Amino acid sequence: MDTSAAALLSALQDRASRLGLALLGVTLAEPAPHLAAYEQWLAAGLHADMRYLARPDRLARRRDLSVILPGVQRIISVALSYYTVDPPAALVNDPSRGRISNYAWGADYHDLFTAKLKGLGEFLAEQAGAHYEVYVDTGAILERDHAWAAGLGFIGKNNCLIHPHTGSYLFLGELLVDIPLPVTTETPLPNRCGVCHRCLDACPTGALIDAYQLDSRRCISYLTIENKGPIPRSLRPLLGNWIYGCDICQQVCPWQRFRQPTAELAFYPADTTRLAPSLLDLIQLDEADFRHRFQRSPIYRLKRARFLRNVAVAIGNWGNPAAVPLLLPRLQDEAPLIRGHVAWALGRIGGAIVQYALRKQAVRETDRWVKEEIDAALADLGRGQ
Ligand code: B12
Ligand code: SF4
Ligand code: SF4
């Protein structure tokens, strides 16, 4: 086989497209162009509790990619589409159901995408003796910025990398290599938002504080996925029925009209219980049920306590008394995170039985934070009467 750089690139592109990888671009292995914007974002505390993002060793890698791979010459940025179907609005807007970001309807993308990238890396190793490192969603690389520099799309005001022909339902991954493949893009795409600001207006929690500026402390995606602790009480009512991630700032984007269904069958939801499961079913899950149901899904990374925390908030927002008999046993759950959010949900629903149960639990509760939640719920109930 002709191993000249151009032929190698063409063979690589061909392999990538056969693996269902929608876009591929190659850039010089230089630091991300907007590294300074990232450092300002951290300095402003907009990363919330994701402390790993500010770790000195991670910052050192972002500033100098040869710390990751000695002799690195190129970054190959790759995108994998995860857009599958548009579910009926009546289903996902039903407040008795939990809403899940569309990237989590099927299989966990991390392993699947990593395997594809490793396949491409092995190909370059065989053909050109390349050494390589694979990245998918790891905090050490600014994936959007490198993908932008590689010509994979523009950065929208909603922070997402958007391709003008496929929208933004794209996962990003990278291969760092120590061979001089041809660079595919001279000039990255300029922003194409124009005067539009739909995403900023639509964000229910005000997390998009400005164009290209996201405050993780308010973002539903952060609050329901990365956040390991309680969801701030003031934000809970704004979460609606989102129980894992949030797609709103992408759904409203006019560039999404060009989205293309992915050929990756593993991302398609097996049935409607994956798209918008019943909250009353979910609140009953024990450890074994949770594992059985979500083992191959990104939701499994959350673990049961955080997931049921989110479910309890959505039930509180639904506010239907039908949930009370299924919430009450969860006041005794072994996870304080669940007990505290269940107390809040019960307080939102109200009623004499709820008041009695919360009072009883207030006496026996040993966790200080849960006790505070019960007291706050009782105080709200008192005000409502
Ligand atoms: C931390 C993190 C989060 C945090 C913070 C998100 C954020 N906006 O910063 C939280 C938990 C909130 C989150 C949410 C989501 N995330 Co996330 N997340 C990450 C992670 C691990 C790091 C991102 C980061 O460093 N953020 C800090 C900000 C400052 O950096 P940035 O978002 O990359 O923005 C860069 C560019 O915007 C550029 N820039 C800044 N200003 C300007 C101005 C112009 C004009 C230009 C051109 C560029 C530019 O500089 C920034 C720094 O380099 C990446 C993976 C990775 N290692 O990159 C995934 C990643 C960004 N997430 C991803 C996804 C899919 C999501 C969600 C859609 C999931 C969901 N549905 O719930 C939401 C989207 C929320 C949103 N609107 O951004 C994808 C994005 C794919 C895409 N097409 O953009 C990534 C790349 C993971 C992956 N491998 O696919 N995420
Ligand atoms: S993901 Fe949701 S909460 Fe986060 S910025 Fe977008 S619309 Fe706002
Ligand atoms: S909704 Fe409008 S402003 Fe936001 S990213 Fe899309 S085009 Fe840009």
Coordinates of all heavy atoms in Angstrom, one line a residue, residues 32-39 41-42 46-47 50 52-53 62 82 101-103 109-110 113 135-146 148 154-156 158-162 167-174 189-191 208 211-216 219-226 244-247 249-250, ligand 1:
A32 N -5.1 24.0 22.5 CA -6.4 24.5 22.0 C -6.4 26.0 21.8 O -5.9 26.7 22.7 CB -7.5 24.1 22.9
P33 N -6.9 26.5 20.7 CA -6.9 28.0 20.4 C -7.5 28.8 21.5 O -7.1 30.0 21.8 CB -7.6 28.2 19.1 CG -7.9 26.8 18.6 CD -7.5 25.8 19.6
H34 N -8.6 28.3 22.2 CA -9.2 29.1 23.2 C -8.9 28.7 24.6 O -9.7 28.7 25.5 CB -10.8 29.1 23.0 CG -11.2 29.8 21.7 ND1 -11.2 29.2 20.5 CD2 -11.6 31.0 21.5 CE1 -11.6 30.0 19.6 NE2 -11.9 31.1 20.2
L35 N -7.7 28.2 24.8 CA -7.2 27.8 26.1 C -7.4 28.9 27.2 O -7.8 28.6 28.3 CB -5.8 27.3 26.0 CG -5.2 26.6 27.2 CD1 -6.0 25.4 27.6 CD2 -3.7 26.2 27.0
A36 N -7.1 30.1 26.7 CA -7.3 31.2 27.7 C -8.7 31.4 28.2 O -9.0 31.6 29.4 CB -6.8 32.5 27.1
A37 N -9.7 31.2 27.3 CA -11.1 31.3 27.6 C -11.4 30.2 28.6 O -12.2 30.4 29.6 CB -12.0 31.1 26.4
Y38 N -10.8 29.0 28.5 CA -11.0 27.9 29.4 C -10.5 28.3 30.8 O -11.2 28.0 31.8 CB -10.3 26.7 28.9 CG -10.4 25.5 29.8 CD1 -11.6 24.8 30.0 CD2 -9.3 25.0 30.5 CE1 -11.7 23.7 30.8 CE2 -9.4 24.0 31.3 CZ -10.6 23.3 31.5 OH -10.6 22.2 32.3
E39 N -9.3 28.8 30.8 CA -8.7 29.2 32.1 C -9.5 30.2 32.8 O -9.6 30.2 34.0 CB -7.2 29.5 31.9 CG -6.5 28.3 31.4 CD -5.0 28.5 31.2 OE1 -4.5 29.6 31.2 OE2 -4.3 27.5 31.1
W41 N -12.7 30.6 32.5 CA -13.9 29.9 32.9 C -13.7 29.2 34.3 O -14.5 29.3 35.2 CB -14.2 28.8 31.8 CG -15.5 28.1 32.0 CD1 -16.8 28.5 31.8 CD2 -15.6 26.7 32.3 NE1 -17.6 27.4 32.0 CE2 -16.9 26.3 32.3 CE3 -14.7 25.7 32.7 CZ2 -17.4 25.0 32.6 CZ3 -15.1 24.4 32.9 CH2 -16.5 24.1 32.9
L42 N -12.5 28.6 34.4 CA -12.2 27.9 35.7 C -12.0 29.0 36.8 O -12.5 28.8 37.9 CB -10.8 27.2 35.5 CG -10.8 25.9 34.7 CD1 -9.4 25.3 34.6 CD2 -11.8 24.8 35.2
L46 N -16.9 28.6 37.2 CA -18.0 28.1 36.4 C -18.0 26.6 36.2 O -19.0 26.0 35.6 CB -18.1 28.8 35.0 CG -18.2 30.3 35.1 CD1 -18.3 31.0 33.7 CD2 -19.4 30.8 35.9
H47 N -17.0 25.9 36.7 CA -16.9 24.5 36.6 C -17.5 23.8 37.8 O -17.5 22.5 37.9 CB -15.4 24.0 36.4 CG -14.5 24.4 37.5 ND1 -14.4 25.7 38.0 CD2 -13.7 23.7 38.3 CE1 -13.5 25.8 38.9 NE2 -13.1 24.6 39.2
M50 N -16.6 20.2 39.5 CA -15.8 19.3 38.7 C -14.3 19.7 38.8 O -13.7 20.2 37.9 CB -16.3 19.4 37.2 CG -17.7 18.9 37.0 SD -18.3 19.1 35.3 CE -18.5 20.9 35.2
Y52 N -11.7 18.0 39.0 CA -10.7 17.4 38.1 C -10.3 18.3 36.9 O -9.2 18.2 36.4 CB -11.2 16.0 37.6 CG -12.3 16.1 36.6 CD1 -12.0 16.0 35.2 CD2 -13.6 16.2 37.0 CE1 -13.0 16.0 34.3 CE2 -14.6 16.3 36.0 CZ -14.3 16.2 34.7 OH -15.3 16.3 33.7
L53 N -11.2 19.1 36.5 CA -10.9 20.0 35.3 C -9.8 21.0 35.6 O -9.1 21.4 34.7 CB -12.2 20.7 34.9 CG -13.3 19.9 34.3 CD1 -14.6 20.7 34.1 CD2 -12.9 19.3 32.9
R62 N -3.1 20.1 28.8 CA -3.8 21.0 27.8 C -2.8 22.0 27.2 O -3.0 22.4 26.0 CB -4.9 21.7 28.5 CG -6.1 20.8 28.8 CD -7.3 21.6 29.2 NE -8.3 20.8 29.7 CZ -8.4 20.4 31.0 NH1 -7.6 20.9 31.9 NH2 -9.4 19.6 31.3
Y82 N -25.1 10.9 17.4 CA -25.9 10.1 18.2 C -27.4 10.4 18.1 O -28.2 9.9 18.8 CB -25.5 10.2 19.7 CG -25.6 11.6 20.3 CD1 -26.8 12.1 20.8 CD2 -24.4 12.4 20.4 CE1 -26.8 13.3 21.4 CE2 -24.5 13.7 20.9 CZ -25.7 14.1 21.5 OH -25.7 15.4 22.0
S101 N -31.7 12.8 28.3 CA -31.0 13.3 27.2 C -30.9 12.2 26.1 O -30.6 11.1 26.4 CB -29.7 13.8 27.6 OG -28.9 14.1 26.4
N102 N -31.0 12.6 24.9 CA -31.1 11.6 23.8 C -29.7 10.9 23.6 O -29.7 9.8 23.0 CB -31.6 12.2 22.5 CG -30.7 13.3 21.9 OD1 -29.6 13.6 22.5 ND2 -31.0 13.9 20.8
Y103 N -28.7 11.4 24.2 CA -27.4 10.7 24.0 C -27.4 9.5 24.9 O -26.5 8.6 24.8 CB -26.2 11.6 24.3 CG -25.8 11.8 25.7 CD1 -24.9 10.8 26.3 CD2 -26.1 12.9 26.5 CE1 -24.5 10.9 27.6 CE2 -25.6 13.0 27.8 CZ -24.9 12.0 28.3 OH -24.4 12.2 29.6
Y109 N -21.6 5.5 25.1 CA -20.8 5.8 24.0 C -19.3 5.7 24.2 O -18.5 5.5 23.3 CB -21.1 7.2 23.4 CG -20.7 8.3 24.2 CD1 -19.5 9.0 24.0 CD2 -21.4 8.8 25.3 CE1 -19.1 10.1 24.7 CE2 -21.1 9.9 26.0 CZ -19.9 10.5 25.8 OH -19.5 11.6 26.5
H110 N -18.9 5.8 25.5 CA -17.5 5.9 25.8 C -16.7 4.6 25.2 O -15.7 4.8 24.5 CB -17.2 6.0 27.3 CG -17.7 7.3 27.8 ND1 -19.0 7.5 28.3 CD2 -17.2 8.5 27.9 CE1 -19.2 8.7 28.7 NE2 -18.1 9.4 28.5
F113 N -17.1 4.2 21.2 CA -16.4 5.2 20.4 C -14.8 4.9 20.6 O -14.1 5.0 19.6 CB -16.7 6.6 20.9 CG -16.4 7.7 20.0 CD1 -15.8 7.5 18.8 CD2 -16.7 9.0 20.3 CE1 -15.5 8.6 17.9 CE2 -16.4 10.1 19.5 CZ -15.8 9.9 18.3
Y135 N -8.6 9.7 23.0 CA -9.4 10.4 24.0 C -10.9 10.5 23.6 O -11.2 10.8 22.4 CB -8.9 11.9 24.1 CG -7.7 12.0 25.1 CD1 -6.4 11.8 24.6 CD2 -7.9 12.2 26.4 CE1 -5.4 11.9 25.5 CE2 -6.9 12.2 27.3 CZ -5.6 12.1 26.8 OH -4.5 12.1 27.7
V136 N -11.7 10.2 24.6 CA -13.2 10.4 24.4 C -13.7 10.9 25.7 O -13.7 10.2 26.7 CB -13.9 9.0 24.0 CG1 -15.4 9.2 24.0 CG2 -13.4 8.5 22.7
D137 N -14.1 12.2 25.7 CA -14.8 12.8 26.8 C -13.9 12.8 28.1 O -14.4 12.7 29.2 CB -16.1 12.0 27.1 CG -17.0 12.8 28.1 OD1 -16.9 14.1 28.0 OD2 -17.7 12.2 28.9
T138 N -12.6 12.9 27.9 CA -11.7 12.9 29.1 C -11.3 14.4 29.3 O -11.1 15.1 28.3 CB -10.5 12.0 28.9 OG1 -10.3 11.8 27.5 CG2 -10.7 10.7 29.6
G139 N -11.2 14.7 30.5 CA -11.0 16.1 30.9 C -9.7 16.7 30.5 O -9.4 17.9 30.6
A140 N -8.8 15.9 29.9 CA -7.4 16.4 29.6 C -7.3 17.1 28.3 O -6.3 17.8 28.0 CB -6.4 15.3 29.7
I141 N -8.4 17.0 27.5 CA -8.3 17.6 26.1 C -9.5 18.5 26.0 O -10.6 18.1 26.4 CB -8.4 16.5 25.1 CG1 -7.1 15.7 25.1 CG2 -8.7 17.0 23.7 CD1 -6.1 16.0 24.0
L142 N -9.3 19.7 25.3 CA -10.5 20.5 25.1 C -11.1 20.1 23.7 O -10.8 20.6 22.7 CB -10.1 22.0 25.1 CG -9.8 22.5 26.5 CD1 -9.1 23.9 26.4 CD2 -11.0 22.6 27.3
E143 N -12.0 19.2 23.8 CA -12.4 18.5 22.6 C -13.1 19.4 21.6 O -12.9 19.3 20.4 CB -13.3 17.3 23.0 CG -12.6 16.3 23.9 CD -13.3 15.0 24.0 OE1 -14.5 15.0 24.6 OE2 -12.8 14.0 23.6
R144 N -14.0 20.3 22.1 CA -14.8 21.1 21.2 C -13.8 22.1 20.4 O -14.0 22.3 19.2 CB -15.8 22.0 21.9 CG -17.0 21.2 22.4 CD -17.8 22.0 23.4 NE -19.1 21.5 23.6 CZ -19.9 21.8 24.6 NH1 -19.5 22.6 25.5 NH2 -21.1 21.3 24.7
D145 N -12.9 22.6 21.2 CA -12.0 23.6 20.6 C -11.1 23.0 19.5 O -10.9 23.5 18.5 CB -11.1 24.2 21.7 CG -10.9 25.7 21.5 OD1 -11.6 26.3 20.7 OD2 -10.0 26.2 22.1
H146 N -10.6 21.8 19.8 CA -9.7 21.1 18.8 C -10.6 20.7 17.6 O -10.1 20.7 16.5 CB -9.1 19.8 19.5 CG -7.9 20.2 20.4 ND1 -6.8 20.8 20.0 CD2 -7.8 20.0 21.7 CE1 -6.0 21.0 21.1 NE2 -6.6 20.5 22.1
W148 N -13.2 22.2 16.5 CA -13.4 23.4 15.8 C -12.2 23.8 14.9 O -12.3 24.0 13.7 CB -13.7 24.6 16.7 CG -13.8 25.9 16.1 CD1 -14.8 26.4 15.3 CD2 -12.8 27.0 16.1 NE1 -14.5 27.6 14.8 CE2 -13.3 28.0 15.4 CE3 -11.6 27.1 16.8 CZ2 -12.6 29.2 15.2 CZ3 -10.9 28.3 16.6 CH2 -11.4 29.3 15.8
F154 N -18.7 24.7 13.8 CA -18.5 26.0 14.5 C -19.0 25.9 15.9 O -19.8 25.0 16.2 CB -19.2 27.2 13.7 CG -20.7 27.1 13.7 CD1 -21.4 27.7 14.7 CD2 -21.4 26.5 12.7 CE1 -22.8 27.7 14.7 CE2 -22.7 26.5 12.7 CZ -23.5 27.1 13.7
I155 N -18.5 26.7 16.8 CA -19.0 26.7 18.2 C -20.2 27.7 18.3 O -20.0 28.8 17.9 CB -17.8 27.2 19.1 CG1 -16.6 26.3 19.0 CG2 -18.4 27.2 20.6 CD1 -16.7 24.9 19.5
G156 N -21.3 27.1 18.7 CA -22.5 27.9 18.8 C -22.5 28.7 20.1 O -21.7 28.4 21.1
N158 N -24.6 28.3 22.3 CA -24.9 27.3 23.3 C -23.7 26.5 23.8 O -23.9 25.5 24.5 CB -26.0 26.4 22.8 CG -25.6 25.5 21.6 OD1 -24.5 25.6 21.2 ND2 -26.6 24.7 21.1
N159 N -22.5 26.8 23.3 CA -21.3 26.1 23.6 C -21.0 24.9 22.8 O -19.9 24.3 22.8 CB -21.2 25.6 25.1 CG -21.0 26.7 26.1 OD1 -20.2 26.6 27.0 ND2 -21.7 27.8 26.0
C160 N -22.0 24.4 22.0 CA -21.8 23.1 21.3 C -21.1 23.3 20.0 O -21.2 24.3 19.3 CB -23.2 22.5 21.1 SG -23.9 22.0 22.7
L161 N -20.4 22.2 19.6 CA -19.8 22.2 18.3 C -21.0 21.8 17.3 O -21.5 20.7 17.5 CB -18.7 21.2 18.2 CG -18.1 21.1 16.8 CD1 -16.8 21.9 16.7 CD2 -18.0 19.7 16.3
I162 N -21.2 22.6 16.4 CA -22.4 22.4 15.4 C -21.8 22.3 14.0 O -21.0 23.1 13.6 CB -23.3 23.6 15.5 CG1 -23.8 23.9 16.9 CG2 -24.5 23.5 14.5 CD1 -24.6 25.2 17.1
G167 N -25.9 19.3 12.4 CA -26.3 19.8 13.7 C -25.3 19.5 14.8 O -24.1 19.3 14.5
S168 N -25.7 19.4 16.0 CA -24.8 19.2 17.1 C -24.9 17.9 17.9 O -24.2 17.8 18.9 CB -24.9 20.4 18.1 OG -26.2 20.5 18.7
Y169 N -25.8 17.0 17.5 CA -25.9 15.8 18.3 C -24.7 14.9 17.9 O -24.9 13.8 17.2 CB -27.2 15.1 18.0 CG -28.4 15.8 18.6 CD1 -29.7 15.8 18.0 CD2 -28.3 16.4 19.9 CE1 -30.8 16.4 18.6 CE2 -29.4 17.1 20.4 CZ -30.6 17.1 19.8 OH -31.7 17.7 20.4
L170 N -23.5 15.3 18.3 CA -22.3 14.7 17.9 C -21.4 14.4 19.1 O -21.2 15.4 19.9 CB -21.5 15.6 16.9 CG -22.1 15.9 15.6 CD1 -21.4 17.1 14.9 CD2 -22.2 14.7 14.7
F171 N -20.9 13.2 19.3 CA -19.9 13.0 20.3 C -18.6 13.3 19.6 O -18.4 13.1 18.4 CB -19.9 11.5 20.7 CG -21.1 11.1 21.4 CD1 -21.8 9.9 21.0 CD2 -21.5 11.7 22.6 CE1 -22.9 9.5 21.7 CE2 -22.7 11.3 23.3 CZ -23.3 10.1 22.8
L172 N -17.6 13.8 20.4 CA -16.3 14.1 19.9 C -15.3 13.1 20.5 O -15.4 12.7 21.7 CB -15.9 15.5 20.2 CG -16.9 16.6 19.7 CD1 -16.5 18.0 20.1 CD2 -17.0 16.5 18.2
G173 N -14.3 12.8 19.7 CA -13.1 12.0 20.2 C -11.9 12.4 19.4 O -12.0 13.0 18.4
E174 N -10.7 12.0 19.9 CA -9.5 12.4 19.3 C -8.5 11.2 19.3 O -8.5 10.4 20.2 CB -8.8 13.5 20.0 CG -9.6 14.8 20.2 CD -10.7 14.6 21.2 OE1 -10.5 13.9 22.2 OE2 -11.8 15.2 21.0
L189 N -14.3 27.1 10.8 CA -15.6 27.7 10.4 C -15.9 28.9 11.3 O -15.8 28.7 12.6 CB -16.7 26.7 10.5 CG -16.9 25.7 9.4 CD1 -18.1 24.8 9.7 CD2 -17.0 26.4 8.1
P190 N -16.3 30.0 10.8 CA -16.7 31.1 11.7 C -18.0 30.8 12.3 O -18.8 30.0 11.8 CB -16.8 32.3 10.8 CG -16.9 31.7 9.4 CD -16.3 30.4 9.4
N191 N -18.4 31.5 13.4 CA -19.6 31.3 14.1 C -20.8 31.6 13.1 O -20.7 32.6 12.4 CB -19.7 32.2 15.3 CG -21.1 32.1 15.9 OD1 -21.9 32.9 15.6 ND2 -21.3 31.2 16.8
L208 N -26.9 29.5 30.7 CA -26.1 30.2 29.6 C -26.1 31.7 29.9 O -27.0 32.4 29.6 CB -26.8 29.9 28.2 CG -26.6 28.4 27.7 CD1 -27.5 28.2 26.5 CD2 -25.2 28.1 27.5
A211 N -23.2 34.4 25.5 CA -22.8 33.5 24.4 C -21.4 32.9 24.8 O -20.5 33.5 25.3 CB -22.6 34.4 23.2
Y212 N -21.3 31.6 24.5 CA -20.1 30.7 24.8 C -19.8 30.7 26.3 O -18.7 30.3 26.7 CB -18.9 31.2 24.0 CG -19.2 31.7 22.7 CD1 -19.0 33.1 22.4 CD2 -19.6 30.9 21.7 CE1 -19.3 33.6 21.1 CE2 -19.9 31.4 20.4 CZ -19.8 32.7 20.1 OH -20.1 33.2 18.9
Q213 N -20.7 31.0 27.2 CA -20.4 31.1 28.6 C -21.5 30.2 29.4 O -22.6 30.7 29.5 CB -20.5 32.5 29.1 CG -19.3 33.3 28.9 CD -18.1 32.9 29.7 OE1 -18.2 32.7 30.9 NE2 -16.9 32.8 29.1
L214 N -21.0 29.1 29.9 CA -22.0 28.3 30.6 C -21.6 28.2 32.1 O -20.4 27.9 32.4 CB -22.0 26.9 30.0 CG -23.0 25.9 30.7 CD1 -23.7 25.0 29.6 CD2 -22.3 25.0 31.6
D215 N -22.5 28.4 33.0 CA -22.3 28.3 34.4 C -22.8 26.9 34.8 O -24.0 26.7 34.9 CB -23.1 29.4 35.2 CG -22.7 29.3 36.7 OD1 -22.2 28.3 37.1 OD2 -23.1 30.3 37.4
S216 N -21.8 26.0 35.0 CA -22.2 24.6 35.3 C -23.1 24.5 36.6 O -23.9 23.6 36.7 CB -20.9 23.8 35.5 OG -20.1 23.8 34.4
C219 N -26.5 24.4 35.3 CA -26.9 23.6 34.1 C -27.5 22.3 34.6 O -26.9 21.6 35.4 CB -25.6 23.4 33.3 SG -26.0 22.3 31.9
I220 N -28.6 22.0 34.0 CA -29.3 20.7 34.4 C -28.5 19.5 34.1 O -28.5 18.5 34.8 CB -30.7 20.6 33.6 CG1 -31.6 21.8 34.0 CG2 -31.4 19.3 33.9 CD1 -32.9 21.9 33.3
S221 N -27.7 19.6 33.0 CA -26.8 18.5 32.7 C -25.8 18.2 33.9 O -25.6 17.1 34.3 CB -26.1 18.8 31.4 OG -25.3 17.7 31.1
Y222 N -25.2 19.3 34.4 CA -24.3 19.2 35.5 C -25.1 18.7 36.8 O -24.7 17.8 37.4 CB -23.6 20.5 35.8 CG -22.9 20.5 37.2 CD1 -21.7 19.9 37.3 CD2 -23.5 21.0 38.3 CE1 -21.0 19.7 38.5 CE2 -22.8 20.9 39.5 CZ -21.6 20.3 39.6 OH -21.0 20.2 40.8
L223 N -26.2 19.4 37.0 CA -26.9 19.1 38.3 C -27.4 17.6 38.4 O -27.4 17.0 39.4 CB -28.1 20.0 38.4 CG -27.8 21.5 38.6 CD1 -29.0 22.4 38.4 CD2 -27.2 21.8 40.0
T224 N -27.8 17.1 37.2 CA -28.4 15.7 37.2 C -27.3 14.6 37.0 O -27.6 13.5 37.2 CB -29.5 15.6 36.2 OG1 -29.0 15.9 34.9 CG2 -30.7 16.4 36.5
I225 N -26.1 15.0 36.4 CA -25.2 14.0 36.1 C -23.9 14.1 36.9 O -23.5 13.2 37.7 CB -24.8 14.0 34.6 CG1 -26.1 13.8 33.7 CG2 -23.8 12.9 34.3 CD1 -25.8 13.9 32.2
E226 N -23.2 15.2 36.8 CA -21.9 15.3 37.4 C -21.9 15.6 38.9 O -21.1 15.2 39.7 CB -21.0 16.4 36.7 CG -20.8 16.2 35.2 CD -20.0 15.0 34.9 OE1 -19.1 14.7 35.8 OE2 -20.2 14.4 33.9
Y244 N -32.0 13.0 33.5 CA -30.6 12.7 33.2 C -30.2 13.6 32.0 O -30.6 13.4 30.9 CB -30.5 11.2 32.8 CG -29.0 10.8 32.5 CD1 -28.2 10.4 33.5 CD2 -28.5 11.0 31.2 CE1 -26.9 10.0 33.3 CE2 -27.1 10.7 31.0 CZ -26.4 10.2 32.0 OH -25.0 9.9 31.8
G245 N -29.4 14.6 32.3 CA -28.9 15.5 31.2 C -30.0 16.5 30.8 O -31.1 16.5 31.4
C246 N -29.8 17.2 29.7 CA -30.7 18.1 29.2 C -30.4 18.4 27.7 O -29.2 18.6 27.4 CB -30.7 19.4 30.0 SG -31.5 20.8 29.3
D247 N -31.3 18.6 26.9 CA -31.1 18.8 25.5 C -31.7 20.2 25.0 O -31.6 20.5 23.8 CB -31.7 17.7 24.6 CG -31.1 16.4 24.8 OD1 -29.9 16.3 25.1 OD2 -31.8 15.3 24.6
C249 N -31.0 23.4 25.0 CA -30.3 24.4 24.2 C -29.9 23.9 22.9 O -29.4 24.7 22.0 CB -29.1 25.0 25.0 SG -27.9 23.8 25.6
Q250 N -30.0 22.6 22.6 CA -29.7 22.1 21.3 C -31.0 21.9 20.5 O -31.1 22.2 19.3 CB -29.0 20.7 21.4 CG -27.6 20.8 22.1 CD -26.9 19.5 22.0 OE1 -26.2 19.2 21.0 NE2 -27.0 18.8 23.0
Ligands
B12_1 C1 -17.2 19.5 31.7 C2 -18.1 19.1 30.5 C3 -19.4 19.4 30.7 C4 -20.0 20.3 31.8 C5 -19.7 21.8 31.3 C6 -20.1 22.1 29.9 C7 -19.5 23.4 29.3 N1 -20.3 23.9 28.3 O1 -18.4 23.8 29.6 C8 -21.5 20.0 31.8 C9 -21.7 18.8 32.8 C10 -22.4 21.1 32.1 C11 -21.6 19.4 30.4 C12 -22.9 19.4 29.7 C13 -23.0 18.8 28.4 N2 -22.1 18.2 27.7 CO1 -20.3 18.0 28.2 N3 -18.4 17.9 28.5 C14 -17.6 18.4 29.4 C15 -16.1 18.1 29.1 C16 -15.7 16.9 29.9 C17 -15.2 19.3 29.3 C18 -15.8 20.6 28.7 C19 -15.0 21.8 29.1 O2 -13.8 21.8 29.2 N4 -15.7 22.9 29.4 C20 -15.2 24.2 29.6 C21 -15.5 25.2 28.5 C22 -14.9 26.5 28.7 O3 -14.9 24.6 27.3 P1 -15.8 24.0 26.1 O4 -17.2 23.8 26.4 O5 -15.0 22.9 25.5 O6 -15.7 25.3 25.2 C23 -14.5 25.6 24.3 C24 -15.0 26.3 23.1 O7 -16.3 26.8 23.3 C25 -14.0 27.5 23.0 N5 -14.5 28.8 22.9 C26 -14.8 29.6 24.0 N6 -15.3 30.8 23.5 C27 -15.3 30.7 22.2 C28 -15.7 31.6 21.2 C29 -15.7 31.2 19.9 C30 -16.1 32.2 18.9 C31 -15.2 30.0 19.5 C32 -15.0 29.6 18.1 C33 -14.7 29.1 20.5 C34 -14.8 29.4 21.8 O8 -13.1 27.4 24.0 C35 -13.6 26.6 25.0 C36 -12.4 26.0 25.7 O9 -11.6 25.5 24.8 C37 -16.3 17.8 27.5 C38 -15.2 16.8 27.0 C39 -13.9 17.5 26.8 N7 -12.9 16.9 27.4 O10 -13.8 18.5 26.2 C40 -17.7 17.3 27.4 C41 -18.5 17.7 26.1 C42 -18.2 19.1 25.8 N8 -19.9 17.5 26.5 C43 -20.6 17.1 25.5 C44 -22.0 16.9 25.6 C45 -22.7 16.1 24.6 C46 -22.7 17.6 26.6 C47 -24.2 17.7 26.7 C48 -24.9 18.0 25.4 C49 -24.8 16.5 27.5 C50 -26.3 16.6 27.8 N9 -27.2 16.5 26.8 O11 -26.7 16.8 28.9 C51 -24.3 19.0 27.7 C52 -24.3 20.3 26.9 C53 -24.3 21.5 27.7 C54 -23.7 22.7 27.0 N10 -24.6 23.6 26.4 O12 -22.5 22.9 26.9 C55 -19.8 16.8 24.2 C56 -20.1 18.0 23.3 C57 -20.3 17.6 21.8 C58 -20.6 18.8 21.0 N11 -21.1 18.6 19.8 O13 -20.3 20.0 21.3 C59 -18.3 16.7 24.8 C60 -17.3 17.2 23.9 C61 -18.1 15.2 25.2 C62 -17.8 14.4 24.0 N12 -16.7 13.8 23.9 O14 -18.6 14.2 23.1 N13 -20.5 19.0 29.9

